[in-house]
Amino acid sequence: MKKNYQVKSLLAIVLVVLVALLIDLDFKNWRKTERVIEHDIHSYYGYLPALFIYDDLKVEKSDYKYDDNGYWFWMVATPDNKSVFRMTCGLAILYSPFFLVAHAVADWFDYPKTGFSEPYKFFLLLSSLFYLFVGLYFVRKILNHLNFSESQIAITLLLLGLGTNLLCYSSQSGTMSHVYSFCLIAIFAYSSIKWYSGKKMVYLWIAALFIGLISLVRLTNIIVFLFFILYGVKSINEIRDRKVSWIHLGILFLGVIVVWIPQLIYWKTVTGSYLVFSYGDEGKFYFFDPMIYRGLVSFRKGWLIYTPIMTFAIIGIFMMKSQLIEARQAVVIFLLLNIYIVFSWWCWWYGGSFGQRALIDSYAILAIPLASFVQKVWESRIWVRSLVVVLSLFFIWLNIFQTYQYEFESLHYEGMSQKLYFKQFGKLDKIEDFDKFLSLPNSHDALHRK
């Protein structure tokens, strides 16, 4: 068992990372001026060149333009007209080892040491592959701890890594926050499970630090804390009886505070205040009008339309065997609340993206019911196994093909319609009259809906 474990699941992880690497090498986006460090990445990443290259965290020494239409730094104004990065610095912390190596490489090979030349972009793409590997590695550890077989774990990792938009967001759009959050949540979930298995304090401290880092990358992901609170609860009635000592909660709170110290110092240095809300109207949620149906099954950006393999994970919730009952309540409640919060954001389609990128972060936890589905199919009749294999291979092909469509803009980033989806299906180049079939969202109405 141990020897096989070291082969099959590790090979599955390596294969997923290799496919993501091949996509990167095929697209060569690090050579393109407005790629890799693009859109939200300017705000996630900007801390590093501002601090280590320009010694200008306030970004006030220059306008830092790279051409007539673009700026290296994406700043927003506070109510008292101070410029800050919109995003918190969690992702910059995760980027930082790769940024420092890239800075040295730029020096050695005479590339511009601006923080935005080819070496910096290339190593940022490598960082996403690294966190993909680590995230899948800890998913493997979670599933092994829950007593799934080696073959079942390997299949689950392949389905997760090749059949979902996790692949796109660790390659084509690898520098966005999602593969990093996926990795952090995988480590947090594993630490939570290990804590309840033996009450070793090291796992509580790891969970504490990682919940802090998870929230520093993407604040809404702090709800993954529910997985820690609910793991081991076997029924709804047990939730109110769950006892977590104040000491343990204090450690978790302390972990969050420690990790957030750099952000608090940054805000204090730049604005004079320790707390800054930098999102403005962009941070608006409509909790009484969530777009759950559209978020799940619309052709604009439906999760189960563009990542249909995750239907297996949803079915798997109902297949979790008795030995997984300790995880069921934590998985179900976290999933339901996460979907509710994700689709309560005003921009429920999450701007330019392939599928529902905001749900990628939770795939480390959804791997548990996905593995339960694999386990059930594994034990089923041959015709059931054959059907699921065929569907899985089709979903994997579709996911990889649509990643290419998204890169070549034949899968529109926010304006797909049902008619366009089927007319464009299986075609890499844009169909004739592509724009005619678009159904573009009205962002103003979505932001200010009543």
Side-chain angles (χ1 to χ4, degrees):
M1 173 75 177
K2 187 72 173 178
K3 185 176 180 180
N4 289 338
Y5 182 77
Q6 292 296 321
V7 176
K8 288 183 181 178
S9 55
L10 278 178
L11 283 177
I13 294 173
V14 169
L15 177 59
V16 172
V17 175
L18 180 60
V19 171
L21 173 61
L22 291 175
I23 292 173
D24 277 335
L25 295 177
D26 194 17
F27 292 161
K28 297 181 177 60
N29 284 334
W30 68 87
R31 295 180 177 176
K32 303 170 186 176
T33 301
E34 296 183 1
R35 295 304 304 275
V36 183
I37 303 173
E38 57 185 339
H39 309 307
D40 290 359
I41 312 305
H42 286 281
S43 192
Y44 286 124
Y45 171 75
Y47 293 90
L48 296 173
L51 176 63
F52 292 105
I53 296 178
Y54 301 103
D55 189 26
D56 186 19
L57 269 178
K58 295 183 178 182
V59 191
E60 59 186 6
K61 295 180 181 179
S62 169
D63 58 7
Y64 299 108
K65 296 182 71 171
Y66 62 81
D67 62 27
D68 290 339
N69 301 309
Y71 292 83
W72 282 338
F73 297 106
W74 176 25
M75 312 301 291
V76 295
T78 64
D80 57 349
N81 208 31
K82 301 289 180 61
S83 292
V84 296
F85 291 107
R86 182 186 296 275
M87 313 300 186
T88 47
C89 67
L91 210 53
I93 293 172
L94 298 178
Y95 290 149
S96 59
F98 298 87
F99 165 82
L100 294 173
V101 172
H103 195 54
V105 169
D107 187 36
W108 296 335
F109 294 97
D110 294 325
Y111 282 92
K113 292 186 290 182
T114 61
F116 298 88
S117 58
E118 288 187 19
Y120 300 94
K121 295 180 179 182
F122 183 79
F123 278 92
L124 284 180
L125 289 172
L126 287 184
S127 77
S128 68
L129 298 178
F130 170 79
Y131 289 106
L132 173 66
F133 179 90
V134 174
L136 291 173
Y137 179 80
F138 274 90
V139 169
R140 184 189 77 156
K141 291 174 73 69
I142 291 170
L143 299 180
N144 183 58
H145 180 86
L146 296 175
N147 296 315
F148 290 99
S149 74
E150 164 64 4
S151 296
Q152 292 161 4
I153 294 172
I155 292 170
T156 301
L157 292 171
L158 290 174
L159 295 180
L160 197 67
L162 299 180
T164 74
N165 49 350
L166 174 63
L167 179 65
C168 178
Y169 282 88
S170 52
S171 57
Q172 191 270 354
S173 297
T175 49
M176 290 291 284
S177 67
H178 306 292
V179 70
Y180 304 87
S181 292
F182 164 78
C183 175
L184 298 178
I185 289 175
I187 298 171
F188 171 79
Y190 176 72
S191 301
S192 300
I193 292 170
K194 291 291 287 184
W195 158 251
Y196 284 110
S197 296
K199 299 292 185 180
K200 292 184 178 180
M201 290 298 293
V202 63
Y203 292 113
L204 183 63
W205 279 107
I206 292 172
L209 293 174
F210 272 85
I211 192 64
L213 194 49
I214 287 165
S215 62
L216 190 58
V217 171
R218 194 176 183 89
L219 184 58
T220 53
N221 280 340
I222 200 169
I223 66 163
V224 77
F225 177 70
L226 286 174
F227 185 84
F228 178 90
I229 295 295
L230 298 175
Y231 187 83
V233 171
K234 298 178 182 179
S235 69
I236 296 294
N237 292 332
E238 289 185 19
I239 293 177
R240 60 186 176 186
D241 299 325
R242 186 62 182 270
K243 295 180 180 179
V244 180
S245 76
W246 287 106
I247 293 177
H248 299 154
L249 290 176
I251 290 173
L252 292 172
F253 179 75
L254 180 61
V256 173
I257 295 299
V258 167
V259 173
W260 272 74
I261 286 175
Q263 186 66 46
L264 301 178
I265 292 174
Y266 165 74
W267 280 333
K268 180 65 174 177
T269 301
V270 172
T271 71
S273 174
Y274 283 111
L275 294 175
V276 174
F277 184 73
S278 56
Y279 288 90
D281 284 346
E282 291 288 320
K284 186 177 289 186
F285 285 78
Y286 288 91
F287 291 113
F288 295 103
D289 188 25
M291 296 295 177
I292 294 174
Y293 178 80
R294 293 184 184 181
L296 293 179
V297 295
S298 72
F299 281 87
R300 172 169 297 156
K301 207 64 72 71
W303 181 40
L304 300 180
I305 297 294
Y306 293 97
T307 313
I309 211 163
M310 290 310 288
T311 306
F312 294 164
I314 294 175
I315 297 172
I317 290 174
F318 303 97
M319 296 177 173
M320 295 174 72
K321 291 189 172 182
S322 57
Q323 69 268 27
L324 297 174
I325 196 170
E326 291 186 342
R328 183 183 297 156
Q329 300 299 330
V331 170
V332 170
I333 294 175
F334 166 73
L335 174 62
L336 292 176
L337 186 58
N338 189 46
I339 286 175
Y340 170 69
I341 291 175
V342 164
F343 297 130
S344 291
W345 191 41
W346 73 269
C347 186
W348 61 267
W349 63 93
Y350 284 79
S353 65
F354 170 43
Q356 279 297 345
R357 60 184 174 87
L359 291 176
I360 295 171
D361 308 17
S362 63
Y363 287 177
I365 291 175
L366 292 180
I368 299 173
L370 181 59
S372 296
F373 176 85
V374 170
Q375 184 182 60
K376 183 66 175 180
V377 171
W378 188 269
E379 299 167 352
S380 299
R381 295 180 179 181
I382 184 66
W383 71 267
V384 175
R385 295 201 301 271
S386 300
L387 176 62
V388 172
V389 167
V390 171
L391 281 174
S392 297
L393 292 175
F394 171 70
F395 289 154
I396 287 171
W397 167 82
L398 181 65
N399 182 63
I400 295 173
F401 185 78
Q402 289 187 335
T403 298
Y404 273 76
Q405 283 185 308
Y406 181 57
E407 171 67 17
F408 296 152
E409 299 182 351
S410 54
L411 185 70
H412 197 270
Y413 57 88
E414 65 177 359
M416 292 298 291
S417 64
Q418 181 176 345
K419 184 174 288 188
L420 179 58
Y421 180 88
F422 287 110
K423 283 183 174 291
Q424 189 66 58
F425 191 87
K427 302 177 181 71
L428 197 56
D429 296 324
K430 285 185 177 180
I431 62 169
E432 187 177 354
D433 294 328
F434 179 89
D435 292 345
K436 173 183 174 182
F437 298 103
L438 289 174
S439 175
L440 296 170
N442 188 319
S443 296
H444 179 272
D445 288 351
L447 179 59
H448 301 286
R449 66 181 185 260
K450 296 179 180 180

